[in-house]
Every structure is written in C-alpha cells, then in structure tokens.
Amino acid sequence: MAASTSTSGLPTRKGLDGGSGDRRDGGLRGRLRPRAPEAAPMSGPMRAVGAERLFNRVALGVLIALALLWLVPLVWAFATSVRSADEIATDPTAWWSGSPTFEAYEDLLTGGKLPYWYVNSFITSALTTLLTVLTASLAAFALSRLRFRYRKPAFLLLLAGLMVPPQVLMIPQFLALQSTGMLNTYWAVVLPQVPNVVAVFVFKQFFDGIPEELTEAARADGASWLRTYWQIVMPLSKPAISAVTIFVFVWAWNNFLWPLLVVTDPEMMTLPVGLTSVQDAFGIPQAQLMASAVLGGVPLLTVFLLFQRRIVEGIAGTGLK
Amino acid sequence: MATTAPTSTAAPPGPERPGGRGGGGGKGRRAGLPGTRADRWTAPGMLAPFGFFYLVFLIGPLLYLLVAGFFNTSLVKGGLGDWVGLDNYARALSTEEFWASLWHSVWFTVLTTVPLVVLALVLALLTDRFSRGRWFFRLAFFAPFVLPSSVISLMFMWIFADQIGLAQSWAKFFGSDSPPSWLGDPDWAMISIAAATVWWTIGFNFVIYLAALQEIPRDVHEAAALDGAGPWQRIRHIVVPMLGRATTLVTVLQLVASLKVFDQIYMMTGGGPDRATEPALLYVYNTGFTEGRVGYASTVSLVLFVMILLISLVWFALVRRAEKES
C-alpha cells in the first residue's frame, strides 16, 4: 500500500464550519466506525456537526495511514527474516515469496553467539536492577525520613547528578575500570550503571507519601530505622519498586555505548553490542541480519506487552506535575 | 531521554522533574519529625552504598575530566602526562573536526527535535479524539521505543540499502528516477538517520502528550463547541496553548537526548561518509579511544557537558518561574 507520508494533512480549511446555526455539541470523541479514509463526502450542508464529523473522518484516515506506516519497518524486518537467500536475491523488495523458512533463526541460535548474548544481557540487566533498587531506595529512605546534619547539601549534590549525562564520562569511567582490571567482566558493565539519581527521586517521592504514623509506630515499638525501611516501608512501596525495576531493566538492557567500550570478548558481549558484530561479518545474508534484529527485539517487545500499562503510565507521569 | 530513548536518542528518560518540592504538591510532606533524632550513624550508613557508587562513577569522573583537560594524558602511556595548561582547549577550538562534530550533533538535534515534537503533538491530538482503537495507535507508535538501538540500526540499514533497499524502491515508485544513496550520500545520510530516529523514539513524546490531553477537562471542549468553535479552532486556540508545559518538557528532553546521539550513527554510518555524520560523542570516542588522546577527549567531553548543562539550567529556570507564577 502506498501510505501518504504527509504529516501536514490537517484539515485546515476543509474542517471549518460554515454556519453556526446548530449549537449542539458536535459529538466530540465521536465513537465512529473506522471507515475508508477516502470516503469523506464533500457534500451536504456543512453545519457544526457535519464539520465535526468530517474532521473526525479525516483524522481517523490520517491516523490509520500513519500507524500502518509505523508498522512497516517491523513487519518488513520479519518478512525478510523468513525468506530464503535465493528469493531475497531475485527480488529483494518483495514482501512475500511463497515458502517461508526459519533457516536463518536456526543458524543464529545454533551456530552463532546469540544465546551467550541473551544470557549476558539478562545477567547484567538483572544485577544492575537489583543493585540500583537497593542502593537508591536506601538512600531515598534516609533523605525522606531521617534528619541529619548534611541533609540539604547531600540533597543538592544528588540533584546536581541529574544534570550529568553519563555518556560524557565515558573516558574516566573506562580508565577507572581498566585500572582495576575489570574489563570484560559483568561487573564492568554493571557497576557504572548503578548510581541512578532518577531512581532515588522516584523512591523519595513515593516514601514522602507514606504516612508518618506508620514509621513512627514501628519506631515506638523499638524497630531500628533499617528494620522500619525493610519491613514497613519497602513492602508498602511495590508500585515504586516495580516502576523503577521495569525502567532500569529496560535502560540496562538497551545500553549500548558503555558495554561497547568495556567488553571486547564476543562471549561476554550483551545483546545490543553483539548485534553489531553480526553486521560486521562479511557477506552475511540479509535474512540472518533481519532474524537477529527480530531476536534482538523480541525480549523487550514482550516486556512492553506485559507491562504496557505501567510503562506508559511511568512515562506519562513525567509530563504531569 | 533518549531520547530520546532513543536515545536514542533513546530518549532516554531524562530528569523526571525538579525534585525536592518538599511541602508542595499536596502529598510530599516534610521528611523527618521533630523528636525523632536518628542516632549518628544511621543516615550516613544508609546513604553510603549509593553514595559510594555515586562518588566513584559520577562525581569522580567529572572531576577527572576537569583535571585531565589540562594535561596531555594519553591512553598508551598511563598516568596524567604533562601539564599543558589550556593547550587542549585551544587545539579543540581551532580544529575543524571539533566544530564539525558539534555542528553534526546540533544538525541532528534540529532534524529530530522538530518532527519529534510537532508530529507527536499531531498524533496525540488526533488519537485523543477516539476512545476506541486507542490501544492500536499506542502500540504502533510506542512499540519501537523499547527496542535497542542496534535492532533499529540493523533494520534501517536494510531499508536504506542501495539498490535492494525498501526506501529506494519506494522512492522509485513515487517517481524518482535515481533515488539518492540514503546512507552513502553525505547530504542525505544524516537526514536518513534522523528519519529512523523519529520512527524509533516518537512514542515517548506521543505518550506524554496523550496524558497531558487527558488532563484537559471535557467541559472546556464543550463550552468552546457551544460557542460555535469548530474542531480546528478549538485545537489551535484552546488545546495547544494548554499543552504548553508538556511541550516545554518534551522539547528540553529531546534537545538533551539528541545532543547525546551516538548509537545509531556509530552503527549505521560510523560517522561517515567522509565524517559527514560524526557527532560530538563519536568524536570523543574516536579521539579518546581510537587515537588515545585522553586529555584532548576530556576537553571535548567537558564542552559537550557544559552545552547540555546550559539547556537543563534554562529549563529549570523556566519551570521555577512557571511554578512561582502559579
């Protein structure tokens, strides 16, 4: 299909209503049946309701066209990955050629290093997430509940960390790990990703909302602060914990520049870095390249589908208040 | 923030919001209580684990950048090397590649930020009109955002491939006799990468705008409709102005994420053809790791950091002012 890619397809002049005789609410957010976009009739009296309806139709047409266009690369990658090398050679831009084959996937999963990369990515992302959640929540608890002498400066120092993009620190971070001989280990990938300032703020915000009576009661019963944190506050903070867990895991899984620097051994590479070496292998068939792209994308697409609501809410929360 | 996830710009989720609105916002109450004095070691003990990582991997490296910029540190020799004063800075400012790489980052930022903000807004405005089918649009526009940069790069290198790629065959279909080599032509390479980035990271802004639109009360729409405002007028004069805060936020996050672009350029063109797409971070990578000029690369990192810092500070100032006004 040939979707129009024009993004300025807003009905500027067409959508304006001619008369204002009809003063009813013109069916906002009208629940209309999706129709073929070209079926927008340009006839009939253009009252407000008509304008509203026309606008909705054009909007739906534009939206569906763009959504389909957005799906093209994903579908295209998958379609290529299940074609045989000969068929791709004869007609590279065909979408479909008779007999789908999963050869490319078999080759990758049996002959390649892909299984290693999956495991490495999983271990490093899980370790990063665990350490981040623990350290960030402890620090956030102290900032939220304790009064101590240097609370303000500590807080400001932390706030300053929001401004530092880790990418500009790649050289000194690399040198630090090199000097300890940690290159090509899981720790090299994990440790620099642990200090996550955003995670501290997410936890602190959540802890601030937990009624003080609860922690007070625990303290009155003689629980230490540490125990109060572990047995009272953390169990109540599951929403914050899961939000931080999902986001940190996804960040860690997708991190590219850092693992690229500290891991050179193909068997220690994470998935995103490993995929670049696939592309360097000379003369590799397109079907295998696309199959590795699909395999590289599947884990996170699965995570996204499972936690769609939470991920979207987490991001949406960024923009509100 | 990356971007962009995507950064990507995977825009990688950037600063969530200025923290520490202690006492404000209805929920956040002042932490700590009168009369609950923790004993002396509790707070430092709880802050220590995070603090250790924070100092070693964030503050320490930042100080190192400040110091190393004054030395001709090299990757080969080890140690700091010799004191060279402001030589690195002078050299950077007089090197063509340095300015070119900064310009490439800025050019990429322009190419991505405008469509990522405007198109995301348009998509959200249109999607907001329909209560059904919303999940489909959200899936289509947001799903790419969670993919790793290397997956995106592999996919688009195939789409943009010469002769056999989808992009050229579509261009031919729409009447271009000899479509450009999307990634091989210096004039087109950055535009192609930017297009792939827009596809990849638009979901982030789309979701933020969609949430902001939900916050607008229905009766605002209804009142305007009663006054005879058509859908287009309502969007232009009522809805878009009400999205001011979301727009500021996505723009700043996008700017910061785009300036940090590295992944997809490294993979799709390696900074080529003929260094035409080499962004600032790739320049740091090349001078620091490929050529081993650590001192010089530290200087360049610091310049980039200051640029990003300035954008963040301007944003903070804007947010502060807006909060004071309200």
Side-chain angles (χ1 to χ4, degrees), chain B residues 5-304:
Chain B
T7 182
S8 84
T9 65
E16 299 309 279
R17 63 198 91 156
R21 295 174 303 120
K27 257 197 330 192
R29 278 194 277 161
R30 295 297 307 191
L33 286 169
T36 48
R37 283 294 307 268
D39 71 71
R40 268 182 61 194
W41 298 108
T42 307
M46 286 185 156
L47 289 167
F50 180 87
F52 167 79
F53 286 107
Y54 188 71
L55 291 176
V56 170
F57 290 111
L58 216 92
I59 304 297
L62 200 59
L63 295 175
Y64 181 92
L65 280 189
L66 282 167
V67 174
F70 296 111
F71 291 84
N72 63 356
T73 317
S74 102
L75 204 54
V76 192
K77 287 207 291 263
L80 266 181
D82 303 322
W83 171 267
V84 292
L86 290 172
D87 275 10
N88 283 325
Y89 290 85
R91 189 163 304 147
L93 296 181
S94 61
T95 304
E96 205 179 315
E97 278 93 14
F98 166 77
W99 290 108
S101 74
L102 276 188
W103 163 245
H104 294 147
S105 285
V106 171
W107 177 226
F108 175 85
T109 305
V110 172
L111 283 174
T112 49
T113 304
V114 176
L116 277 170
V117 174
V118 176
L119 186 58
L121 174 61
V122 170
L123 292 175
L125 283 171
L126 296 182
T127 306
D128 190 52
R129 301 182 73 84
F130 305 104
S131 44
R132 269 194 250 168
R134 197 177 279 232
W135 64 270
F136 170 70
F137 299 127
R138 206 168 58 190
L139 187 75
F141 298 127
F142 188 81
F145 182 74
V146 298
L147 297 173
S149 51
S150 34
V151 168
I152 308 299
S153 304
L154 283 175
M155 281 165 48
F156 276 88
M157 285 166 80
W158 168 224
I159 288 175
F160 288 135
D162 291 341
Q163 274 101 45
I164 55 172
L166 197 62
Q168 284 202 348
S169 85
W170 277 26
K172 284 193 184 113
F173 178 84
F174 286 110
S176 158
D177 295 334
S178 53
S181 162
W182 297 109
L183 293 173
D185 180 334
D187 294 335
W188 282 97
M190 194 61 106
I191 295 173
S192 307
I193 295 173
T197 307
V198 169
W199 176 84
W200 178 26
T201 57
I202 199 160
F204 184 84
N205 296 354
F206 173 71
V207 165
I208 287 186
Y209 269 132
L210 216 47
L213 281 167
Q214 307 244 303
E215 294 289 296
I216 297 178
R218 279 291 305 276
D219 43 20
V220 170
H221 277 288
E222 278 160 14
L226 279 178
D227 289 342
W232 175 241
Q233 289 167 307
R234 286 204 305 272
I235 285 177
R236 236 187 84 183
H237 299 293
I238 298 167
V239 178
V240 172
M242 286 179 93
L243 294 174
R245 250 189 48 212
T247 302
T248 318
L249 178 86
V250 297
T251 307
V252 169
L253 289 182
Q254 211 56 66
L255 287 173
V256 170
S258 301
L259 282 174
K260 295 188 296 192
V261 64
F262 176 90
D263 301 10
Q264 62 274 44
I265 296 187
Y266 173 86
M267 280 178 275
M268 286 165 84
T269 63
D274 196 23
R275 297 192 115 170
T277 55
E278 185 183 60
L281 266 187
L282 188 52
Y283 183 60
V284 171
Y285 175 91
N286 285 334
T287 49
F289 292 103
T290 318
E291 299 169 23
R293 297 156 63 197
V294 172
Y296 180 76
S298 299
T299 309
V300 179
S301 303
L302 208 58
V303 171
L304 186 66

Side-chain angles (χ1 to χ4, degrees), chain A residues 23 28-29 52 56 70 80 144 157 161 163 171 173 175 198 212 251 254 256 272 276 286 300 304 321, chain B residues 13 16 30-33 54 57 64 129 142 146 148 150 154 158 199 226 234 245 260 263 267 297 316:
Chain A
R23 297 218 148 199
L28 275 169
R29 298 181 187 223
E52 205 76 50
N56 271 348
W70 238 254
T80 306
S144 164
L157 185 67
M163 307 278 203
I171 288 173
Q173 285 185 343
L175 292 173
V198 173
E212 265 153 18
W251 279 332
N254 282 345
F256 174 78
T276 58
Q286 285 296 350
L300 276 188
F304 168 61
K321 260 276 151 286
Chain B
E16 299 309 279
R30 295 297 307 191
L33 286 169
Y54 188 71
F57 290 111
Y64 181 92
R129 301 182 73 84
F142 188 81
V146 298
S150 34
L154 283 175
W158 168 224
W199 176 84
L226 279 178
R234 286 204 305 272
R245 250 189 48 212
K260 295 188 296 192
D263 301 10
M267 280 178 275
F316 263 124

Side-chain angles (χ1 to χ4, degrees), chain A residues 136-196:
Chain A
S137 61
L138 253 179
F141 180 83
L143 288 170
S144 164
R145 281 291 190 270
L146 302 180
R147 282 241 176 122
F148 51 98
R149 212 164 135 198
Y150 300 109
R151 197 165 157 271
K152 256 232 142 72
F155 195 79
L156 287 175
L157 185 67
L158 192 66
L159 204 59
L162 277 179
M163 307 278 203
V164 185
Q167 290 92 336
V168 302
L169 303 176
M170 62 179 162
I171 288 173
Q173 285 185 343
F174 177 84
L175 292 173
L177 284 162
Q178 193 189 33
S179 62
T180 52
M182 274 203 263
L183 297 183
N184 273 318
T185 63
Y186 288 146
W187 295 115
V189 179
V190 170
L191 296 180
Q193 298 188 68
V194 171
N196 189 322

